[in-house]
Amino acid sequence: MEDPLPEQMRAASIALLTALNPAARESAVHSFDDEAARRWLEYRPRPRPGVCLAELDVTARKAAHRLLATALSHSAYAQAMAIISLEEVLDRAEGWQRGRHSADYWVAVFGDPARDDRWAWRLEGHHLSVNMTVVDGQVSPAPIFFGANPAAVRYAGRPVSRPLGVEEDLARALLDALGPAERAAAIIADEAPADIISATRGRVDAPLEPLGVPAQRLGPTGRALLNQVVALYLDRLPPELAIREAARLDTGPLHFAWAGPTHPGRRHYYRVQGDDLLIEYDNTTADGNHAHTVLRRPASDFGADVLATHHQTHPH
């Protein structure tokens, strides 16, 4: 049975490009072979390839959101919208000095989705980067970056906004489930790094060392919670992609590593690594109230897996 997701992305991309005026289309469309623009990851508020949603009319902006929705599950799309809205909250907290705004997100299309057998797209801005590559009717996801600043807004100690709360809570539950020897192996440093280690690099040399504690050393509860952490990140994807990615990881080893204090409210970091899998989380700036998370496939990011198959069957 043919996978409908590539055609959904193709239709949504064509609808977006149709909705753009000529100047916006020129900014949005890039050559698929422009490696510097296509293998791009930038979660800071910097200039980036593409066209800014602030420059688009309502029809085109909605087309960009519909394209984004093809790449995310319902829950992940809600997270993405919460992340985008935090730009207004952060701008207020900074005294309106930097002009942050919730339309400062950019969409780019690489190649021609109407005609090409290799094309890609990305929607990206501060604390959000969603990258999808479509080759020969196969979707290759990642990197998927979600961040949040502030990570939590509270009223009387209760969260009003906490878009990445589950990502923290599940990892803490896993850490709490570890015995002394398992915990000693999992905690790789007393202090958390300043940011996720993979940062904004277009290519990641994996695995990251030290690996931490292997899944086979965990008890049943620990293994179940580690699987839940992995599933949480894979479930950012639409169900058909998440199921495929889970099956790909099913037989490979997993490792969990933590850095920093283990009690809430302090700067902390964790990562999960597996066969062509890298999950990173940090909450290490703004006194532990500024979170970054990423789902990467180090050997397959930006469609490297489907492109390798394409080049084998379609030698250039």
Side-chain angles (χ1 to χ4, degrees):
M1 182 178 177
E2 186 176 353
D3 185 354
L5 185 59
E7 291 309 311
Q8 292 173 15
M9 287 188 181
R10 186 185 302 275
S13 295
I14 293 171
L16 168 64
L17 296 179
T18 302
L20 300 181
N21 62 42
R25 191 178 304 114
E26 184 176 359
S27 297
V29 177
H30 299 257
S31 167
F32 184 86
D33 294 322
D34 185 347
E35 286 278 297
R38 188 173 63 80
R39 293 190 71 97
W40 174 281
L41 175 64
E42 179 56 84
Y43 46 81
R44 297 165 294 184
R46 306 284 173 85
R48 64 192 79 242
V51 64
C52 183
L53 268 60
E55 301 173 5
L56 307 183
D57 63 21
V58 172
T59 299
R61 286 201 305 272
K62 287 302 295 183
H65 278 275
R66 289 183 179 124
L67 176 59
L68 176 63
T70 67
L72 300 176
S73 64
H74 289 292
S75 59
Y77 184 75
Q79 284 180 297
M81 293 302 100
I83 289 163
I84 288 173
S85 71
L86 282 178
E87 287 301 282
E88 306 294 350
V89 177
L90 183 58
D91 197 40
R92 173 179 175 169
E94 294 174 337
W96 317 104
Q97 295 300 307
R98 297 187 60 175
R100 300 183 193 268
H101 59 92
S102 55
D104 192 14
Y105 289 82
W106 300 63
V107 62
V109 176
F110 303 90
D112 184 349
R115 298 185 303 174
D116 295 347
D117 55 7
R118 303 178 308 148
W119 64 282
W121 64 272
R122 175 175 60 249
L123 195 145
E124 184 182 76
H126 189 207
H127 284 153
L128 181 69
S129 184
V130 176
N131 298 266
M132 294 284 149
T133 307
V134 184
V135 178
D136 298 329
Q138 295 293 316
V139 177
S140 180
I144 306 290
F145 180 96
F146 285 2
N149 183 17
V153 178
R154 300 180 185 276
Y155 169 76
R158 296 179 174 85
V160 173
S161 168
R162 197 169 172 242
L164 300 173
V166 181
E167 283 79 351
E168 177 179 350
D169 294 346
L170 269 179
R172 288 194 180 279
L174 167 57
L175 194 65
D176 290 343
L178 303 183
E182 298 163 348
R183 178 178 281 231
I187 298 176
I188 58 173
D190 293 332
E191 293 187 10
D195 199 350
I196 57 174
I197 305 303
S198 57
T200 59
R201 295 196 294 274
R203 289 178 171 85
V204 178
D205 294 326
L208 303 181
E209 299 286 350
L211 292 173
V213 65
Q216 60 265 31
R217 284 185 54 184
L218 305 182
T221 300
R223 286 197 301 272
L225 285 166
L226 179 56
N227 289 337
Q228 287 182 44
V229 172
V230 173
L232 172 64
Y233 283 85
L234 294 185
D235 282 342
R236 290 180 174 179
L237 304 170
E240 52 267 54
L241 280 184
I243 291 169
R244 190 193 74 189
E245 291 299 296
R248 186 175 62 82
L249 295 168
D250 194 39
T251 58
L254 290 173
H255 288 80
F256 172 71
W258 179 282
T262 59
H263 49 280
R266 303 291 298 277
R267 302 178 181 188
H268 57 285
Y269 164 95
Y270 70 79
R271 63 175 173 248
V272 180
Q273 296 186 88
D275 184 17
D276 198 17
L277 172 74
L278 172 62
I279 291 168
E280 286 192 278
Y281 167 103
D282 83 78
N283 194 335
T284 57
T285 56
D287 293 323
N289 195 29
H290 180 160
H292 292 165
T293 72
V294 73
L295 168 65
R296 299 197 69 158
R297 305 158 73 225
S300 306
D301 275 349
F302 302 102
D305 53 344
V306 290
L307 284 169
T309 301
H310 175 84
H311 292 150
Q312 289 173 358
T313 56
H314 299 79
H316 293 273

